[in-house]
Amino acid sequence: MNHHHGGMGGAPPNGNSTNQPSFFAGAPVTKVTILMSLLLYALIETQHNASQLRKGFEMNSHQVWNNGQFYRLITGRLTFGNGGDLVMGSIIWGMLSKRYEREMSSRKFSSFLLGTWLLSIGIEYLLYQSLGGLGLVETSTTTRQPQFHVTYTGPYSWVGALGYLFHVYTPRQHPRFFGLLGFHFSEKAIQYAILCQVMVMGNSGNAFLHQLLPSVAGIMAGFLCSTPQLPLANMEIPSFLTTPFGMIFGFLVDTDPPPILSATVG
């Protein structure tokens, strides 16, 4: 994958690095989504009934698919459920999201996020029903005693989709970056470890299945929305939707991807 190092400028005589771009430079969608997630988490945690609010917002498979509380498909993905997941999730989310937004352009990246979110809901439902058939989770047609409902709070489908982009479109720069017990790993291993921590090893109960389910759905949705041979990879938010929102959020009408990096994804 090509790398772009423009926009740095020359260093001032006094050594001040005022010309260096900010962490979110060129990635306003990433900046807005992460800041909204952080602010919402802080808002919930400062309430005296924070535990009840988290329960009311979380994605709960039983409440959604059996009791029709479909609002949880949105609220359950807005922020993480605890501080540990928030920190690790925001780190890997920010690192990957800003990179691919710069490569796709903000409008295309917004379309990718919307597409993977909608697809992951359907994929997650199919996975959920499959697990119900095995008696692992409760569904409306489950005849065996389920082990638990699938519950989570966090944008794990987006993390999974970004993880897929990272796996496919980020080459190994240093195949022997570090060694452990006679095995050599590239620099990508560090980000893979963080991804696994976020997607599989959360801090809430049976997190392995709770968080893995939406993460796998996100990986599958990321494949469908980024593989050039598939029609969904060319999907973009239509202009009649971007025009009104563009008056408030300019990134929705950003149609010029950064030079050199354009067309490397999708």
Side-chain angles (χ1 to χ4, degrees):
M1 180 180 290
N2 294 321
H3 292 262
H4 180 53
H5 301 283
M8 297 297 290
N14 60 2
N16 194 338
S17 57
T18 56
N19 289 331
Q20 291 186 354
S22 67
F23 181 84
F24 291 112
V29 177
T30 300
K31 180 178 182 179
V32 169
T33 52
I34 289 182
L35 288 181
M36 287 180 60
S37 176
L38 294 173
L39 289 174
L40 181 59
Y41 179 84
L43 179 63
I44 292 175
E45 291 303 310
T46 54
Q47 304 303 309
H48 70 278
N49 59 339
S51 178
Q52 294 180 354
L53 285 175
R54 285 195 298 269
K55 286 291 185 181
F57 286 157
E58 71 180 4
M59 169 59 190
N60 184 304
S61 58
H62 175 76
Q63 297 296 339
V64 171
W65 305 121
N66 294 347
N67 295 336
Q69 297 182 8
F70 296 112
Y71 71 89
R72 293 176 182 269
L73 293 172
I74 298 176
T75 61
R77 289 166 162 80
L78 294 179
T79 189
F80 293 93
N82 57 68
D85 289 346
L86 179 74
V87 172
M88 299 301 293
S90 297
I91 289 174
I92 195 65
W93 185 7
M95 292 171 61
L96 297 182
S97 183
K98 70 171 184 175
R99 170 174 184 160
Y100 298 116
E101 180 180 353
R102 291 167 180 169
E103 297 188 8
M104 292 181 179
S105 84
S106 294
R107 179 178 177 180
K108 179 68 175 178
F109 187 69
S110 299
S111 302
F112 175 79
L113 292 182
L114 177 61
T116 53
W117 174 60
L118 294 175
L119 277 175
S120 65
I121 291 175
I123 295 172
E124 185 178 332
Y125 176 74
L126 294 176
L127 294 174
Y128 173 70
Q129 291 294 332
S130 299
L131 293 173
L134 298 175
L136 297 178
V137 300
E138 180 181 5
T139 68
S140 57
T141 58
T142 297
T143 57
R144 308 176 195 175
Q145 181 64 32
Q147 293 184 9
F148 53 85
H149 305 309
V150 176
T151 62
Y152 63 84
T153 304
Y156 294 106
S157 59
W158 279 350
V159 172
L162 292 171
Y164 174 79
L165 295 183
F166 173 71
H167 175 69
V168 174
Y169 294 102
T170 301
R172 294 183 302 168
Q173 300 295 329
H174 307 285
R176 301 170 69 91
F177 188 70
F178 69 94
L180 181 65
L181 300 176
F183 297 94
H184 293 279
F185 302 89
S186 72
E187 78 286 354
K188 291 182 68 174
I190 299 175
Q191 288 172 293
Y192 276 131
I194 300 176
L195 277 169
C196 289
Q197 166 67 26
V198 173
M199 293 191 299
V200 178
M201 302 172 64
N203 300 318
S204 55
N206 297 306
F208 175 77
L209 187 57
H210 286 288
Q211 298 176 188
L212 184 62
L213 189 69
S215 299
V216 170
I219 292 172
M220 298 172 69
F223 164 77
L224 294 173
C225 289
S226 66
T227 302
Q229 293 79 10
L230 299 178
L232 289 175
N234 299 317
M235 177 189 66
E236 285 197 11
I237 298 177
S239 59
F240 73 86
L241 291 178
T242 62
T243 299
F245 284 101
M247 298 175 63
I248 303 175
F249 302 106
F251 57 81
L252 287 175
V253 292
D254 173 20
T255 58
D256 297 320
I260 298 178
L261 288 179
S262 61
T264 56
V265 177

